[in-house]
Amino acid sequence: MDFMNFFKVRTNAILSIILVFLSVIITVQAVISGSVIRAGEVNTEAINAANINPNFANGSAKGVKLTPTQVVTAEPTEAPTKKPKDKTAETTKPTEATTAQVTTAASATRKQPSTTIAQTAQLATAIPVDEPADYQAQWDAGYVIAIDNPDFTYQTFHIELSDEDRALLENLCYGEFGSGGFVGAALIAQCVKDAMCFDGYTSVAEVIKQCRYDGPTNRGTTLDCQQAVTYVFDMDHEAVQHRLLYMYNPYLVVSTFHESQNYILTYEDVRFFDRWNY
């Protein structure tokens, strides 16, 4: 009887060791292949440094020549007090747009991923291209980020900002994606300009209201945000060679609506999309 118990104990011990060994091998292989995504993490195919225009390699517009009337020197600046943002709009965060005409622009400021956020939405991927993109051609044309799926038909028109709209947009860029520096601010500025060019909005305030941007606009701005607005609106450049109408941060919001749109790029944690077909 003692022999049988001893045999069972040895057998169980050997099987346990084998199972542990197999588990270690499977885990190592999964990590090497990049297939392990912990709770709260997303596979975003984020833009890396190789995509950034060398003029903006340090995250600012210091390499770009701005005319004397376009140079801003104060950082940070105070938010305008003439028209404070509606507190209700600041405290109410939409979770998902319900129609293709409405943009859910969840606050995009970079935050540390939370393991309590379960990413359940299927993340869209960019449409594969037939030929490698010419990054240098995009940089030479003034685009801040070179992307693999540029739209060669993309074109906007000049929009003259009022002083009120300029101040509001500079503050919005900071409130939505201030942590993204000049590059992040340029992406937000392009989203607003594209909404005005393609959807007919006539003011920044109208874009904020109709497209449901909820980044605070009463916290001031930065030099990077001011220069991004100058670059996109005054100098008629864009962040990327593609229309951008939707953006959100999947660490903060799960949105099947956004992921059903035409995915263009991810910068830091923020994903940007165009609308399909129109």
Side-chain angles (χ1 to χ4, degrees):
M1 196 68 175
D2 291 340
F3 174 78
M4 291 298 295
N5 289 334
F6 175 79
F7 179 78
K8 288 181 180 179
V9 171
R10 290 294 300 273
T11 301
N12 290 336
I14 293 173
L15 289 175
S16 298
I17 293 173
I18 292 174
L19 289 174
V20 170
F21 181 73
L22 290 175
S23 298
V24 170
I25 292 177
I26 292 172
T27 302
V28 170
Q29 288 179 337
V31 171
I32 293 175
S33 64
S35 61
V36 173
I37 299 179
R38 292 185 293 273
E41 292 184 338
V42 292
N43 181 15
T44 59
E45 302 176 342
I47 290 294
N48 57 46
N51 297 77
I52 305 297
N53 188 321
N55 286 327
F56 311 105
N58 60 358
S60 72
K62 294 178 181 178
V64 176
K65 293 182 180 179
L66 302 176
T67 65
T69 58
Q70 294 167 333
V71 174
V72 287
T73 57
E75 180 182 10
T77 62
E78 294 297 326
T81 58
K82 182 178 180 181
K83 285 189 176 182
K85 186 179 173 79
D86 187 344
K87 295 298 182 181
T88 302
E90 288 182 22
T91 57
T92 303
K93 176 170 291 188
T95 57
E96 181 173 323
T98 56
T99 69
Q101 287 75 29
V102 180
T103 303
T104 302
S107 181
T109 302
R110 184 178 179 87
K111 297 181 179 180
Q112 290 297 323
S114 170
T115 55
T116 62
I117 299 176
Q119 178 62 44
T120 59
Q122 181 67 37
L123 298 181
T125 57
I127 299 174
V129 294
D130 296 330
E131 297 181 3
D134 188 339
Y135 285 8
Q136 189 62 52
Q138 294 178 58
W139 295 335
D140 291 344
Y143 296 104
V144 178
I145 301 174
I147 56 177
D148 293 322
N149 51 336
D151 178 4
F152 299 110
T153 67
Y154 170 69
Q155 188 174 3
T156 60
F157 53 83
H158 181 76
I159 295 176
E160 193 72 29
L161 291 173
S162 66
D163 291 343
E164 184 179 2
D165 265 359
R166 182 181 301 277
L168 186 59
L169 180 55
E170 290 170 352
N171 283 270
L172 178 68
C173 288
Y174 180 69
E176 284 288 352
F177 204 175
S179 62
F182 173 84
V183 177
L187 286 163
I188 299 300
Q190 180 179 336
C191 285
V192 172
K193 185 176 181 179
D194 284 349
M196 298 175 78
C197 287
F198 294 96
D199 287 342
Y201 299 119
T202 58
S203 69
V204 174
E206 187 179 9
V207 173
I208 292 174
K209 179 179 179 180
Q210 298 299 327
C211 297
R212 291 197 254 168
Y213 282 88
D214 67 350
T217 57
N218 60 351
R219 297 180 181 175
T221 189
T222 63
L223 177 62
D224 284 336
C225 293
Q226 292 172 317
Q227 289 186 328
V229 171
T230 292
Y231 193 69
V232 172
F233 278 83
D234 299 339
M235 301 177 68
D236 288 324
H237 289 296
E238 288 82 23
V240 297
Q241 192 175 7
H242 207 295
R243 186 175 67 172
L244 300 178
L245 294 175
Y246 307 107
M247 47 76 68
Y248 88 116
N249 186 334
Y251 284 122
L252 305 179
V253 177
V254 174
S255 176
T256 55
F257 166 78
H258 286 86
E259 298 300 340
S260 70
Q261 302 304 304
N262 185 6
Y263 169 72
I264 306 303
L265 80 155
T266 297
Y267 184 68
E268 293 189 355
D269 294 334
V270 186
R271 292 168 65 79
F272 293 85
F273 303 80
D274 188 12
R275 190 166 52 222
W276 288 113
N277 301 325
Y278 68 97

